[in-house]
Amino acid sequence: MDQLNNQEQRELQMRMEKKQMSQFMNMYSNLVQKCFESCVDDFTSAKVTSKEESCVMRCVDKSLKSSERLGQRFQEQNAAMAQSGGLMGGR
């Protein structure tokens, strides 16, 4: 990134932020769809039942914790690879 001028750095930063937002929105949408399909099954009422609500809360909590744990493991793997010189730029 040091070889880019200020304008190019700003443009790259904006693209990266846009990509991150897109990925976040995609993840959020998938989570909502998964938890809704798993938990909401009574369409006779416009209101969400307490059973459905607690199911959705558990689903979201479990998904977020899984995602967090996966991210931690990914960081650990990257650190181990970097230490052993397994990543590009590692020595």
Side-chain angles (χ1 to χ4, degrees):
M1 210 158 126
D2 292 337
Q3 297 134 346
L4 302 176
N5 65 38
N6 286 342
Q7 176 67 24
E8 293 169 330
Q9 287 180 7
R10 282 193 300 274
E11 186 176 326
L12 179 60
Q13 181 67 30
M14 287 178 63
R15 286 184 183 187
M16 289 170 49
E17 288 172 4
K18 187 175 181 181
K19 180 70 172 175
Q20 285 178 329
M21 180 57 77
S22 174
Q23 289 173 336
F24 171 78
M25 293 305 294
N26 190 37
M27 182 187 77
Y28 176 78
S29 177
N30 289 338
L31 176 62
V32 168
Q33 182 176 352
K34 181 182 93 166
C35 292
F36 180 85
E37 288 174 355
S38 295
C39 297
V40 179
D41 54 10
D42 181 10
F43 296 99
T44 59
S45 171
K47 294 183 179 182
V48 176
T49 66
S50 60
K51 177 184 164 202
E52 291 170 333
E53 185 176 354
S54 63
C55 177
V56 168
M57 295 301 285
R58 282 192 311 273
C59 178
V60 169
D61 187 53
K62 189 178 229 180
S63 294
L64 292 177
K65 285 180 180 176
S66 296
S67 179
E68 182 181 350
R69 186 174 181 133
L70 181 63
Q72 289 171 343
R73 296 297 173 253
F74 184 71
Q75 287 177 340
E76 290 168 5
Q77 284 293 111
N78 277 347
M81 287 175 66
Q83 281 184 334
S84 67
L87 289 177
M88 285 191 265
R91 299 194 196 335

